[in-house]
Amino acid sequence: MSEPTGTQSLFNFNALLDNPVFAGGFGLASLGAVLAFARRGALTTAGMIRRRMLVNVEISRQDPSYPWILAWLSQPREQTSFLAKRLTRINKLSVATATSSTPNGPTKASFFLQPGYGRHIVKFKHAYISVNREKQATARTNTGEPHETVELTTLYAHRHIFEDVFTEARALALQANEGKTVVYSVRNFDWVPLGEPRRKRPLGSVILDQGIKEDIVNDAKDFLARRQWYVDRGIPYRRGYLLYGPPGSGKSSFIQALAGELDFSVAMVNLSEIGVTDDKLAFLLTKLPERTILLLEDADSAFVNRRKRDGDGYNGGTVTFSGLLNALDGLSAGEERIAFLTTNHVELLDPALIRPGRVDMMVRIGEATKYQAAQMWDRFYGDVDADGTNRQRFLDRLDDLGLFREAKDGESAPRTSTAAIQGLFLFNKNDMEGAISMAEHLIPSKLEAEP
């Protein structure tokens, strides 16, 4: 009984094949399956060939080289071949605008065109490079800014061209900042340039008392020249300086001039600023840009935070004393670092802060001395007062006002600052007699509220 049944089933299948509708559908299904397998095989093969023949480099926006590459891509490149002229056109651009304005003046703006989001092709030397700049769907948790990447792709045989690309991009970045000092400030958890790079301040434009400037400069240069000496002896390669004294004595100006002399940048952190916590300071120090002087302003504010919180919950700066100590010589301190601390109230500092290893050199930059006043006079009026006659008259006038005399017991002698002397000279740029006659204004006046 089973044999006739099997024969009939086979007969029915043959009958289905003889049906033109079924046969056509079965044939199309088989053809579709073959094509699907062929497509998958072709994609797999293409992917393997791509991985074998092409090489990619992805650059995140958080990487320091990201702005370098965008600036490098924006450089004009003259192409001679017909193919290169047609392939390497960048038709989609984005603009970065920097503006600066004064209260009563016009607004100045500078525009920087760079490749926009999407795919581009550039030719560098003998290699074609595909550029894909895209904005990711994810964002940074601390700033909310979307993640961005630039991906460079070229033939595997030309993979070494990337070294030349990054070298040239960095050279362009250095050339753009040549003769300038980059000043970084804190924004969220990043170091960002504070405006445009500033023209290097000549070291001679900062007048400190005799020998002070030279001692610090020589010490810093000796430190930078002894890297291997520190490594051989297992000593952390960092140097700390504390500049203290009254406001207007030239502490910050000198640090900026020293950075220009050493070809360094400056990264500023105001320790009294609300929001700068211990963890944030430690994290920032791990990301300190290379060849950068760390400037910690208002170091005394960390000592306010040693007392208990007030009733309103605020106790001054949010960086604690222990957090500052760890930043100077803890695990987050890092290597190859020059740090400057400034304060107007050195009496508030704890001996634990100023021990060697945290602060290696303490220098008081105080009120203006006769030496500084003379040097500043020569800098402003030396070209018209060649014999120094009026300079001596000015110094005698300051002596008559008692600005340089020693204070007696129980007496507070009047003092002035280099900032006040500079302000006087700026007010009388072309009038030496006016500077001499107005010298009494250098004595700080006590301001009282009107009744």
Side-chain angles (χ1 to χ4, degrees):
M1 296 294 293
S2 61
E3 184 176 353
T5 302
T7 304
Q8 184 156 356
S9 298
L10 182 61
F11 174 77
N12 291 336
F13 182 73
N14 291 333
L16 287 174
L17 291 178
D18 291 338
N19 188 318
V21 176
F22 177 80
F26 182 76
L28 289 176
S30 301
L31 180 61
V34 171
L35 291 177
F37 280 114
R39 180 177 179 274
R40 179 176 295 182
L43 291 176
T44 303
T45 304
M48 293 179 61
I49 294 175
R50 176 183 171 85
R51 287 192 294 271
R52 292 288 182 178
M53 296 186 62
L54 301 179
V55 59
N56 302 327
V57 173
E58 184 177 273
I59 308 147
S60 170
R61 184 174 183 176
Q62 284 71 49
D63 193 87
S65 65
Y66 187 83
W68 306 348
I69 293 298
L70 289 183
W72 177 82
L73 291 171
S74 305
Q75 295 298 308
R77 295 177 179 83
E78 187 67 27
Q79 304 295 347
T80 56
S81 67
F82 177 83
L83 182 62
K85 287 181 179 179
R86 296 301 181 272
L87 289 178
T88 59
R89 290 178 177 175
I90 297 180
N91 298 320
K92 190 174 182 180
L93 302 172
S94 64
V95 62
T97 306
T99 60
S100 61
S101 60
T102 56
N104 300 315
T107 299
K108 298 180 180 180
S110 58
F111 304 95
F112 175 65
L113 292 175
Q114 55 195 14
Y117 298 104
R119 294 186 178 274
H120 316 280
I121 295 178
V122 297
K123 184 180 181 182
F124 180 63
K125 296 183 177 179
H126 57 280
Y128 284 94
I129 302 175
S130 172
V131 181
N132 182 25
R133 184 187 178 194
E134 60 181 359
K135 186 181 295 185
Q136 307 292 335
T138 58
R140 303 182 64 188
T141 55
N142 55 346
T143 64
E145 297 178 348
H147 290 110
E148 292 183 15
T149 59
V150 170
E151 187 178 68
L152 307 180
T153 304
T154 191
L155 292 173
Y156 186 81
H158 297 157
R159 62 191 181 278
H160 300 297
I161 202 71
F162 289 133
E163 298 177 5
D164 298 334
V165 168
F166 283 97
T167 300
E168 186 170 305
R170 174 167 170 74
L172 284 173
L174 293 176
Q175 183 179 355
N177 294 330
E178 188 176 358
K180 299 178 181 179
T181 300
V182 180
V183 179
Y184 296 96
S185 64
V186 177
R187 187 177 71 183
N188 297 313
F189 284 84
D190 283 326
W191 296 104
V192 295
L194 185 62
E196 295 294 322
R198 308 175 185 190
R199 202 176 290 112
K200 285 184 179 180
R201 180 162 186 170
L203 199 59
S205 67
V206 181
I207 309 298
L208 302 183
D209 203 8
Q210 196 165 10
I212 291 179
K213 178 170 58 178
E214 292 76 12
D215 289 346
I216 301 176
V217 173
N218 292 335
D219 185 84
K221 289 183 176 180
D222 178 75
F223 166 75
L224 294 175
R226 289 180 176 268
R227 177 186 177 89
Q228 192 58 43
W229 187 90
Y230 280 79
V231 173
D232 293 342
R233 288 157 180 79
I235 304 173
Y237 186 52
R238 46 182 177 257
R239 194 78 172 159
Y241 301 87
L242 172 65
L243 305 184
Y244 65 96
S249 55
K251 298 184 290 293
S252 299
S253 298
F254 169 71
I255 294 170
Q256 181 184 348
L258 176 63
E261 177 72 14
L262 301 177
D263 200 22
F264 268 51
S265 303
V266 178
M268 300 190 308
V269 180
N270 192 329
L271 297 178
S272 63
E273 180 181 346
I274 300 175
V276 180
T277 61
D278 293 348
D279 292 341
K280 185 174 183 178
L281 180 61
F283 180 74
L284 287 169
L285 293 188
T286 63
K287 300 176 62 178
L288 191 69
E290 62 178 4
R291 294 188 63 83
T292 298
I293 291 176
L294 176 65
L295 173 56
L296 301 174
E297 297 183 304
D298 297 332
D300 53 276
S301 64
F303 295 85
V304 179
N305 214 14
R306 301 180 81 176
R307 59 183 174 86
K308 295 182 179 179
R309 294 184 180 272
D310 296 333
D312 59 358
Y314 177 64
N315 63 338
T318 54
V319 174
T320 64
F321 176 62
S322 61
L324 179 58
L325 296 184
N326 290 330
L328 292 177
D329 67 349
L331 294 177
S332 62
E335 294 286 321
E336 195 175 2
R337 189 205 65 196
I338 297 178
F340 275 86
L341 286 78
T342 65
T343 180
N344 299 330
H345 305 284
V346 68
E347 68 278 1
L348 299 179
L349 301 185
D350 192 283
L353 175 66
I354 57 179
R355 71 162 177 80
R358 290 175 178 146
V359 171
D360 303 291
M361 192 173 185
M362 290 180 56
V363 180
R364 184 179 189 275
I365 300 181
E367 297 83 359
T369 63
K370 181 179 288 189
Y371 171 81
Q372 289 174 284
Q375 292 293 312
M376 294 180 70
W377 179 277
D378 290 341
R379 189 162 187 84
F380 277 84
Y381 305 115
D383 54 340
V384 293
D385 186 31
D387 58 357
T389 302
N390 291 305
R391 178 188 62 193
Q392 190 58 47
R393 290 177 54 210
F394 177 71
L395 296 178
D396 291 342
R397 176 63 177 149
L398 298 187
D399 271 329
D400 294 339
L401 294 171
L403 292 177
F404 302 136
R405 66 181 176 86
E406 296 291 334
K408 298 179 181 179
D409 295 338
E411 179 190 21
S412 59
R415 289 289 183 265
T416 192
S417 65
T418 53
I421 296 176
Q422 179 174 284
L424 175 67
F425 291 164
L426 289 174
F427 189 80
N428 300 275
K429 300 181 185 67
N430 302 313
D431 186 7
M432 291 186 294
E433 292 297 330
I436 296 173
S437 63
M438 294 177 63
E440 64 269 11
H441 294 294
L442 293 176
I443 299 177
S445 57
K446 296 183 179 180
L447 301 179
E448 298 181 357
E450 295 183 2

